[in-house]
């Protein structure tokens, strides 16, 4: 009888969903640290600021600042804007040509940030070999007048460390 078959199928589906429920509720959610980073970004931003997101921090930064139209968000390296999950690490592409491209991009980014008098940027830094190129350029740039660590955070979903810096040029 079709009614019995339908009832049996519904019972199997219901029991399967109940059995699977713990697996889906145990998925990592936004960690306290990610919420703290979002709150620190919101609290620390001023109109006209630039937020530089490195590594896999771009999606979280864009989400945290989705209502802020008075700040700009820049990805480093810029290829992250097109492919947010792709780091293009030097470990994967160790050729000198790629490193030179990262160095040129770091130089152009710092030129852009320093072009405005008394400009301020917040850097969400996700330590990686790729982002180390930007960090090296920052350390050597004489236009950088002030840098300060605002906090350290953790991205729970990918178990990565993030650091939030204030930069003044």
């Amino acid at each position: 009888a079709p009614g019995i078959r339908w009832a049996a199928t519904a019972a199997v589906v219901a029991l399967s969903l109940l059995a699977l429920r713990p697996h889906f509720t145990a998925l990592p959610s936004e960690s306290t640290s990610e919420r703290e980073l979002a709150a620190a970004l919101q609290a620390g931003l001023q109109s006209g600021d630039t937020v530089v997101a490195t590594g896999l921090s771009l999606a979280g930064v864009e989400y945290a600042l989705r209502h802020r139209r008075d700040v700009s968000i820049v990805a480093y390296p810029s290829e992250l804007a097109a492919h947010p999950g792709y780091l293009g690490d030097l470990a994967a592409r160790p050729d000198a040509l790629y490193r030179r491209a990262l160095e040129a991009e770091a130089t152009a980014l710092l030129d852009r940030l320093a072009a405005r008098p008394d400009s301020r940027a917040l850097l969400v830094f996700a330590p990686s070999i790729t982002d180390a190129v930007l960090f090296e350029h920052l350390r050597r740039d004489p236009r950088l007048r002030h840098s300060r660590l605002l906090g350290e955070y953790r991205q729970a979903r990918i178990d990565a460390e993030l650091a939030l810096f204030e930069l003044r040029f």
Side-chain angles (χ1 to χ4, degrees):
I4 294 174
R5 212 175 310 142
W6 168 227
T9 302
V12 169
V13 169
L15 289 173
S16 298
L17 289 175
L18 285 174
L20 291 173
R21 185 173 180 253
H23 297 287
F24 288 104
T25 57
L27 290 175
S29 61
E30 184 178 31
S31 74
T32 301
S33 191
E34 288 170 311
R35 285 192 295 273
E36 289 171 353
L37 172 60
L41 279 170
Q42 287 288 359
L45 280 175
Q46 301 167 4
S47 184
D49 281 350
T50 300
V51 178
V52 178
T54 70
L56 296 177
S57 70
L58 179 62
V61 168
E62 287 178 331
Y63 181 77
L65 303 178
R66 66 192 177 280
H67 301 297
R68 294 292 302 259
R69 303 288 179 236
D70 59 336
V71 298
S72 61
I73 301 171
V74 178
Y76 178 85
S78 61
E79 64 189 332
L80 286 176
H83 305 284
Y86 174 67
L87 287 177
D89 260 350
L90 288 172
R93 294 178 57 187
D95 55 65
L97 183 63
Y98 186 62
R99 182 172 178 91
R100 282 196 300 276
L102 287 174
E103 289 175 348
E105 191 170 338
T107 299
L109 174 59
L110 296 182
D111 288 347
R112 174 182 166 187
L113 295 175
R116 292 185 10 235
D118 296 321
S119 69
R120 191 176 90 109
L122 294 182
L123 170 65
V124 181
F125 184 73
S128 74
I129 297 170
T130 304
D131 302 333
V133 173
L134 176 61
F135 207 72
E136 288 170 20
H137 277 69
L138 275 168
R139 278 197 348 232
R140 294 191 315 249
D141 195 319
R143 300 169 295 182
L144 181 63
R145 294 184 295 119
H146 169 78
S147 66
R148 177 171 62 118
L149 176 66
L150 299 177
E152 296 180 51
Y153 308 91
R154 176 164 288 300
Q155 279 182 300
R157 289 177 187 88
I158 58 171
D159 195 31
E161 294 178 10
L162 296 174
L164 178 62
F165 290 93
E166 175 190 47
L167 308 173
R168 291 193 181 268
F169 291 87

